[in-house]
Amino acid sequence: MSQLQEARHHRCAKVQAMDLLPVFLNLRGRLTLVVGGGAVAARKTDLLLKAHARVRVVAPRLHPKLARLREAGQIEHQAVEFAPIHFDDVQFAIAATDQPEVNQAVATIGAARNIFVNVVDDGGASSAIMPAIVDRSPLILAIGTAGQSPTLARRVRAQIEAMLPERLGDLAAFAGAARERVRRALPQLDRRRRFWDQLFSGRVAGEVLAGKTREAEAQLDEQLRIAATDHVAARGEVYLIGAGPGDPDLLTLRALQLLQQSDVVLYDRLVSAAVLERVRRDAQLIDVGKQSGSHRVTQQRIHALMVEYAARGLRVARLKGGDPFIFGRGGEEIDLLRRSNIPVTVVPGVTAALGAAAAACLPLTQRGLSPSVTFVTATGEGAADLDWRALAAPLQTVVFYMGVAQLPRIVEHLRAQGAPGDRPVAIVERATLPGQRVIAGSLNTINELAQRARLIAPALLIVGEVASRAVHSAQLLQTHLSSGVDKT
Ligand code: SAH
């Protein structure tokens, strides 16, 4: 399976794992049933009324809030124990009593009558689960954990609440009101999408979020006029994005934003499937790191693809493992794009050395131990040109980006230039990815340790005193043979 297929497959697998379908119910004017008269029932009733549902509350006694609603004529109240007849004409029900058998009865009768029932705090008995809600109406986010952990859902809600501007709902409403106008002015879908993207990241959105609706209106008119009269094909652009070492949480916010607005994504072998998950769903994903036979897509071909797509007016993300400017050929790519007059934005990424150091809890520099750090690539013929004497010197950290097969040669070169056999080294395999491993040893022992561990790519070698600090964390699956460290 190619990496692209794998990535797509991964997406499908996720979708299949979704047991519940999130939907927004239109309950306006429809009859709903709340069984229970306590504080929880009152909260649920409030929600249903907010959605303009009619609410029948069945409970012998009512919480003062519910009593007020009854007095105001906003709910229908049956002051009796729950009975099946209360389901008559009902389309959706919530069981919110503190008696499990009553809640269960509501669920059972609801099921028999094909009516969706939410049982408060009992996902197993519910045929409908109420999500945690972030309300920026008309923008509404519903967060659910399939009843597994309402607490987790509430925590996620709190995080999202903090992230979203207070007036986001106003922005959604503003966009909704302008939608028809924009559609008429820009009939082509791709131009319209571009217009909205620019609008949401630009001045108009800023004004709406600042509460200056009138200024935003004027701006919108102006921008729409420009967009509609600009007949030159929209110019494409390229985003040269560092994808980090693998864990998608290590993407920068800007990388995420740009991946969400890219039309085409050209990605490397080192870009993890989890990172590809964060790409806009309808973007075209192109694997340019794939080895077909023994041939990779050549660098020229990658250049040609970038230029070709950008020339069609598309937004092209060139997504690379780690940082684009650390052993990533990013320099060549921007030179070419400049020559072709294609605008390019570079977004840095967490380079593998930094990901590995953090993952192994190993400081790359440390007072007294190592005042400097060098990043070296030891792949291909380049290794012969390195200043091995300088790399073998003490009191420094050297990080080798390497093919695993190069390890014996690196050790040999360093030893030949006088590096002692007990110099600490650590290998971090698949840093920040699932199954990450840290192997710690010395120049003397590392070849054997690596062999025994059956090291696979990608992996980094860290050489220097700091490597002795490679972490002994219980979370890391670690092959650490301190007894194997030769102190001679
Ligand atoms: N631009 C990339 C490096 C590309 S060179 C960056 O900044 O990280 C490829 C080498 O990077 C691999 O051979 C390996 O040595 C290293 N590498 C990349 N991802 C890695 C990872 N998750 N764990 C360990 N090493 C990694």
Side-chain angles (χ1 to χ4, degrees), residues 245-246 270 320-328 350-353 356 377 379 400-403 428-433 458-460:
L270 278 172
K320 291 165 168 292
D323 182 86
F325 286 166
I326 302 279
F327 311 129
V350 174
T351 189
T377 176
T379 46
F400 290 93
Y401 288 66
M402 57 157 199
V428 185
E429 179 192 75
R430 295 177 58 77
T432 81
L433 288 162
L460 273 180

mmCIF file of all heavy atoms in Angstrom, residues 245-246 270 320-328 350-353 356 377 379 400-403 428-433 458-460, ligand 1:
data_model
loop_
_atom_site.group_PDB
_atom_site.id
_atom_site.type_symbol
_atom_site.label_atom_id
_atom_site.label_comp_id
_atom_site.label_asym_id
_atom_site.label_seq_id
_atom_site.Cartn_x
_atom_site.Cartn_y
_atom_site.Cartn_z
ATOM 1 N N PRO A 245 8.695 16.347 13.414
ATOM 2 C CA PRO A 245 9.238 14.985 13.401
ATOM 3 C C PRO A 245 8.188 13.884 13.309
ATOM 4 O O PRO A 245 8.555 12.727 13.164
ATOM 5 C CB PRO A 245 9.984 14.905 14.737
ATOM 6 C CG PRO A 245 9.318 15.906 15.611
ATOM 7 C CD PRO A 245 8.816 16.994 14.724
ATOM 8 N N GLY A 246 6.917 14.197 13.416
ATOM 9 C CA GLY A 246 5.920 13.135 13.250
ATOM 10 C C GLY A 246 4.650 13.333 14.061
ATOM 11 O O GLY A 246 3.551 13.201 13.542
ATOM 12 N N LEU A 270 8.875 11.281 4.936
ATOM 13 C CA LEU A 270 8.977 11.393 6.392
ATOM 14 C C LEU A 270 7.742 12.019 7.044
ATOM 15 O O LEU A 270 7.649 12.090 8.254
ATOM 16 C CB LEU A 270 10.210 12.227 6.758
ATOM 17 C CG LEU A 270 11.543 11.471 6.768
ATOM 18 C CD1 LEU A 270 12.692 12.443 6.953
ATOM 19 C CD2 LEU A 270 11.558 10.412 7.862
ATOM 20 N N LYS A 320 7.253 18.993 4.272
ATOM 21 C CA LYS A 320 8.488 18.218 4.482
ATOM 22 C C LYS A 320 8.629 17.812 5.938
ATOM 23 O O LYS A 320 8.239 18.552 6.826
ATOM 24 C CB LYS A 320 9.695 19.090 4.134
ATOM 25 C CG LYS A 320 9.827 19.394 2.678
ATOM 26 C CD LYS A 320 10.811 20.530 2.512
ATOM 27 C CE LYS A 320 11.196 20.676 1.061
ATOM 28 N NZ LYS A 320 11.994 19.550 0.580
ATOM 29 N N GLY A 321 9.267 16.675 6.150
ATOM 30 C CA GLY A 321 9.530 16.240 7.519
ATOM 31 C C GLY A 321 10.427 17.241 8.227
ATOM 32 O O GLY A 321 11.263 17.888 7.595
ATOM 33 N N GLY A 322 10.247 17.403 9.522
ATOM 34 C CA GLY A 322 11.119 18.279 10.307
ATOM 35 C C GLY A 322 11.000 19.721 9.870
ATOM 36 O O GLY A 322 9.911 20.257 9.728
ATOM 37 N N ASP A 323 12.149 20.348 9.634
ATOM 38 C CA ASP A 323 12.184 21.726 9.150
ATOM 39 C C ASP A 323 12.628 21.714 7.688
ATOM 40 O O ASP A 323 13.521 20.940 7.321
ATOM 41 C CB ASP A 323 13.181 22.538 9.989
ATOM 42 C CG ASP A 323 13.210 23.984 9.537
ATOM 43 O OD1 ASP A 323 12.377 24.768 10.027
ATOM 44 O OD2 ASP A 323 14.053 24.324 8.668
ATOM 45 N N PRO A 324 12.030 22.580 6.857
ATOM 46 C CA PRO A 324 12.388 22.532 5.433
ATOM 47 C C PRO A 324 13.831 22.950 5.159
ATOM 48 O O PRO A 324 14.385 22.597 4.118
ATOM 49 C CB PRO A 324 11.416 23.507 4.771
ATOM 50 C CG PRO A 324 10.580 24.114 5.828
ATOM 51 C CD PRO A 324 10.951 23.526 7.151
ATOM 52 N N PHE A 325 14.420 23.709 6.088
ATOM 53 C CA PHE A 325 15.762 24.227 5.833
ATOM 54 C C PHE A 325 16.856 23.450 6.556
ATOM 55 O O PHE A 325 18.004 23.874 6.613
ATOM 56 C CB PHE A 325 15.845 25.706 6.235
ATOM 57 C CG PHE A 325 15.135 26.622 5.255
ATOM 58 C CD1 PHE A 325 14.858 27.943 5.595
ATOM 59 C CD2 PHE A 325 14.758 26.171 3.993
ATOM 60 C CE1 PHE A 325 14.220 28.787 4.702
ATOM 61 C CE2 PHE A 325 14.111 27.014 3.097
ATOM 62 C CZ PHE A 325 13.835 28.318 3.454
ATOM 63 N N ILE A 326 16.492 22.328 7.154
ATOM 64 C CA ILE A 326 17.523 21.466 7.747
ATOM 65 C C ILE A 326 17.530 20.171 6.941
ATOM 66 O O ILE A 326 16.598 19.372 7.033
ATOM 67 C CB ILE A 326 17.234 21.136 9.227
ATOM 68 C CG1 ILE A 326 17.116 22.403 10.073
ATOM 69 C CG2 ILE A 326 18.297 20.184 9.776
ATOM 70 C CD1 ILE A 326 18.428 23.013 10.499
ATOM 71 N N PHE A 327 18.552 19.986 6.138
ATOM 72 C CA PHE A 327 18.690 18.804 5.282
ATOM 73 C C PHE A 327 17.382 18.488 4.563
ATOM 74 O O PHE A 327 16.971 17.337 4.472
ATOM 75 C CB PHE A 327 19.145 17.590 6.105
ATOM 76 C CG PHE A 327 20.313 17.891 6.984
ATOM 77 C CD1 PHE A 327 20.306 17.585 8.340
ATOM 78 C CD2 PHE A 327 21.436 18.512 6.453
ATOM 79 C CE1 PHE A 327 21.395 17.891 9.142
ATOM 80 C CE2 PHE A 327 22.528 18.816 7.253
ATOM 81 C CZ PHE A 327 22.503 18.513 8.600
ATOM 82 N N GLY A 328 16.744 19.533 4.075
ATOM 83 C CA GLY A 328 15.431 19.330 3.474
ATOM 84 C C GLY A 328 15.345 19.833 2.040
ATOM 85 O O GLY A 328 14.282 19.812 1.446
ATOM 86 N N VAL A 350 9.596 21.709 13.609
ATOM 87 C CA VAL A 350 10.499 21.191 14.636
ATOM 88 C C VAL A 350 11.392 20.157 13.963
ATOM 89 O O VAL A 350 10.914 19.132 13.486
ATOM 90 C CB VAL A 350 9.715 20.535 15.781
ATOM 91 C CG1 VAL A 350 10.674 19.866 16.762
ATOM 92 C CG2 VAL A 350 8.848 21.557 16.491
ATOM 93 N N THR A 351 12.678 20.459 13.875
ATOM 94 C CA THR A 351 13.581 19.530 13.206
ATOM 95 C C THR A 351 13.772 18.270 14.059
ATOM 96 O O THR A 351 13.594 18.305 15.278
ATOM 97 C CB THR A 351 14.920 20.226 12.897
ATOM 98 O OG1 THR A 351 15.687 19.368 12.059
ATOM 99 C CG2 THR A 351 15.717 20.519 14.159
ATOM 100 N N ALA A 352 14.103 17.156 13.389
ATOM 101 C CA ALA A 352 14.155 15.856 14.069
ATOM 102 C C ALA A 352 15.044 15.887 15.309
ATOM 103 O O ALA A 352 14.723 15.273 16.328
ATOM 104 C CB ALA A 352 14.634 14.785 13.094
ATOM 105 N N ALA A 353 16.166 16.620 15.241
ATOM 106 C CA ALA A 353 17.084 16.646 16.383
ATOM 107 C C ALA A 353 16.374 17.206 17.618
ATOM 108 O O ALA A 353 16.540 16.706 18.730
ATOM 109 C CB ALA A 353 18.302 17.499 16.056
ATOM 110 N N ALA A 356 13.740 14.706 18.814
ATOM 111 C CA ALA A 356 14.365 13.557 19.460
ATOM 112 C C ALA A 356 14.885 13.935 20.848
ATOM 113 O O ALA A 356 14.709 13.197 21.814
ATOM 114 C CB ALA A 356 15.510 13.038 18.603
ATOM 115 N N THR A 377 24.626 15.840 8.487
ATOM 116 C CA THR A 377 24.016 14.728 7.776
ATOM 117 C C THR A 377 25.125 13.802 7.318
ATOM 118 O O THR A 377 26.147 14.232 6.794
ATOM 119 C CB THR A 377 23.144 15.170 6.583
ATOM 120 O OG1 THR A 377 22.688 13.977 5.927
ATOM 121 C CG2 THR A 377 23.904 16.015 5.598
ATOM 122 N N THR A 379 24.506 11.012 5.427
ATOM 123 C CA THR A 379 24.036 10.106 4.382
ATOM 124 C C THR A 379 24.809 10.358 3.096
ATOM 125 O O THR A 379 25.343 11.447 2.870
ATOM 126 C CB THR A 379 22.537 10.299 4.103
ATOM 127 O OG1 THR A 379 22.293 11.689 4.008
ATOM 128 C CG2 THR A 379 21.695 9.695 5.200
ATOM 129 N N PHE A 400 23.749 13.384 14.385
ATOM 130 C CA PHE A 400 23.844 12.867 13.021
ATOM 131 C C PHE A 400 22.463 12.499 12.499
ATOM 132 O O PHE A 400 21.791 11.639 13.072
ATOM 133 C CB PHE A 400 24.732 11.612 12.983
ATOM 134 C CG PHE A 400 26.180 11.906 13.225
ATOM 135 C CD1 PHE A 400 26.714 11.837 14.503
ATOM 136 C CD2 PHE A 400 27.020 12.262 12.168
ATOM 137 C CE1 PHE A 400 28.057 12.114 14.730
ATOM 138 C CE2 PHE A 400 28.364 12.540 12.386
ATOM 139 C CZ PHE A 400 28.882 12.469 13.670
ATOM 140 N N TYR A 401 22.049 13.179 11.453
ATOM 141 C CA TYR A 401 20.865 12.761 10.707
ATOM 142 C C TYR A 401 21.409 11.684 9.776
ATOM 143 O O TYR A 401 22.354 11.932 9.027
ATOM 144 C CB TYR A 401 20.304 13.913 9.887
ATOM 145 C CG TYR A 401 19.615 14.986 10.691
ATOM 146 C CD1 TYR A 401 20.328 15.780 11.576
ATOM 147 C CD2 TYR A 401 18.247 15.210 10.545
ATOM 148 C CE1 TYR A 401 19.693 16.774 12.304
ATOM 149 C CE2 TYR A 401 17.604 16.209 11.274
ATOM 150 C CZ TYR A 401 18.330 16.983 12.151
ATOM 151 O OH TYR A 401 17.702 17.960 12.869
ATOM 152 N N MET A 402 20.835 10.503 9.864
ATOM 153 C CA MET A 402 21.544 9.434 9.175
ATOM 154 C C MET A 402 20.629 8.323 8.705
ATOM 155 O O MET A 402 19.552 8.110 9.230
ATOM 156 C CB MET A 402 22.544 8.811 10.144
ATOM 157 C CG MET A 402 21.855 8.299 11.403
ATOM 158 S SD MET A 402 22.796 7.039 12.212
ATOM 159 C CE MET A 402 21.533 6.296 13.222
ATOM 160 N N GLY A 403 21.107 7.628 7.709
ATOM 161 C CA GLY A 403 20.530 6.347 7.380
ATOM 162 C C GLY A 403 21.091 5.380 8.399
ATOM 163 O O GLY A 403 22.249 5.498 8.804
ATOM 164 N N VAL A 428 17.863 7.837 18.758
ATOM 165 C CA VAL A 428 16.417 7.966 18.936
ATOM 166 C C VAL A 428 15.768 7.541 17.626
ATOM 167 O O VAL A 428 16.016 8.130 16.576
ATOM 168 C CB VAL A 428 15.993 9.401 19.304
ATOM 169 C CG1 VAL A 428 14.500 9.441 19.592
ATOM 170 C CG2 VAL A 428 16.776 9.890 20.516
ATOM 171 N N GLU A 429 14.983 6.492 17.730
ATOM 172 C CA GLU A 429 14.323 5.935 16.542
ATOM 173 C C GLU A 429 12.870 6.381 16.554
ATOM 174 O O GLU A 429 12.222 6.351 17.599
ATOM 175 C CB GLU A 429 14.408 4.408 16.630
ATOM 176 C CG GLU A 429 13.745 3.671 15.493
ATOM 177 C CD GLU A 429 13.622 2.183 15.819
ATOM 178 O OE1 GLU A 429 12.758 1.824 16.630
ATOM 179 O OE2 GLU A 429 14.386 1.400 15.266
ATOM 180 N N ARG A 430 12.375 6.799 15.378
ATOM 181 C CA ARG A 430 10.974 7.218 15.254
ATOM 182 C C ARG A 430 10.600 8.248 16.326
ATOM 183 O O ARG A 430 9.556 8.116 16.986
ATOM 184 C CB ARG A 430 10.033 6.029 15.325
ATOM 185 C CG ARG A 430 10.191 5.047 14.166
ATOM 186 C CD ARG A 430 9.289 3.841 14.330
ATOM 187 N NE ARG A 430 7.881 4.223 14.432
ATOM 188 C CZ ARG A 430 7.127 4.575 13.405
ATOM 189 N NH1 ARG A 430 7.606 4.562 12.199
ATOM 190 N NH2 ARG A 430 5.875 4.938 13.579
ATOM 191 N N ALA A 431 11.455 9.252 16.501
ATOM 192 C CA ALA A 431 11.209 10.256 17.540
ATOM 193 C C ALA A 431 9.815 10.858 17.396
ATOM 194 O O ALA A 431 9.412 11.237 16.301
ATOM 195 C CB ALA A 431 12.257 11.363 17.447
ATOM 196 N N THR A 432 9.111 10.943 18.498
ATOM 197 C CA THR A 432 7.764 11.527 18.642
ATOM 198 C C THR A 432 6.670 10.734 17.925
ATOM 199 O O THR A 432 5.510 11.137 17.923
ATOM 200 C CB THR A 432 7.656 13.014 18.199
ATOM 201 O OG1 THR A 432 7.516 13.082 16.771
ATOM 202 C CG2 THR A 432 8.832 13.846 18.653
ATOM 203 N N LEU A 433 7.040 9.614 17.315
ATOM 204 C CA LEU A 433 6.037 8.778 16.635
ATOM 205 C C LEU A 433 5.676 7.589 17.536
ATOM 206 O O LEU A 433 6.441 7.236 18.426
ATOM 207 C CB LEU A 433 6.613 8.248 15.318
ATOM 208 C CG LEU A 433 6.767 9.285 14.212
ATOM 209 C CD1 LEU A 433 7.727 8.801 13.133
ATOM 210 C CD2 LEU A 433 5.397 9.605 13.605
ATOM 211 N N PRO A 458 13.047 6.145 10.582
ATOM 212 C CA PRO A 458 14.137 7.113 10.689
ATOM 213 C C PRO A 458 14.731 7.094 12.092
ATOM 214 O O PRO A 458 14.030 6.855 13.064
ATOM 215 C CB PRO A 458 13.434 8.437 10.423
ATOM 216 C CG PRO A 458 12.052 8.248 10.927
ATOM 217 C CD PRO A 458 11.725 6.794 10.718
ATOM 218 N N ALA A 459 16.021 7.357 12.147
ATOM 219 C CA ALA A 459 16.681 7.407 13.446
ATOM 220 C C ALA A 459 17.792 8.442 13.428
ATOM 221 O O ALA A 459 18.343 8.759 12.376
ATOM 222 C CB ALA A 459 17.247 6.032 13.782
ATOM 223 N N LEU A 460 18.084 8.959 14.608
ATOM 224 C CA LEU A 460 19.106 9.997 14.771
ATOM 225 C C LEU A 460 20.140 9.508 15.764
ATOM 226 O O LEU A 460 19.787 8.852 16.738
ATOM 227 C CB LEU A 460 18.477 11.219 15.431
ATOM 228 C CG LEU A 460 17.807 12.274 14.627
ATOM 229 C CD1 LEU A 460 17.302 13.325 15.600
ATOM 230 C CD2 LEU A 460 18.772 12.922 13.663
HETATM 231 N N1 SAH B 1 14.281 18.129 7.294
HETATM 232 C C1 SAH B 1 14.328 17.032 8.236
HETATM 233 C C2 SAH B 1 15.506 16.101 8.034
HETATM 234 C C3 SAH B 1 15.512 15.353 6.747
HETATM 235 S S1 SAH B 1 16.889 14.249 6.651
HETATM 236 C C4 SAH B 1 14.338 17.591 9.654
HETATM 237 O O1 SAH B 1 14.511 18.798 9.835
HETATM 238 O O2 SAH B 1 14.153 16.816 10.591
HETATM 239 C C5 SAH B 1 16.171 12.749 7.136
HETATM 240 C C6 SAH B 1 16.758 12.262 8.441
HETATM 241 O O3 SAH B 1 16.156 12.938 9.527
HETATM 242 C C7 SAH B 1 16.491 10.797 8.727
HETATM 243 O O4 SAH B 1 17.416 9.973 8.074
HETATM 244 C C8 SAH B 1 16.641 10.731 10.225
HETATM 245 O O5 SAH B 1 17.980 10.679 10.609
HETATM 246 C C9 SAH B 1 16.111 12.078 10.640
HETATM 247 N N2 SAH B 1 14.716 12.005 11.111
HETATM 248 C C10 SAH B 1 13.640 12.554 10.559
HETATM 249 N N3 SAH B 1 12.530 12.304 11.278
HETATM 250 C C11 SAH B 1 12.931 11.576 12.344
HETATM 251 C C12 SAH B 1 12.276 11.002 13.464
HETATM 252 N N4 SAH B 1 10.963 11.136 13.647
HETATM 253 N N5 SAH B 1 13.020 10.318 14.364
HETATM 254 C C13 SAH B 1 14.333 10.190 14.214
HETATM 255 N N6 SAH B 1 15.009 10.699 13.168
HETATM 256 C C14 SAH B 1 14.329 11.387 12.246
#
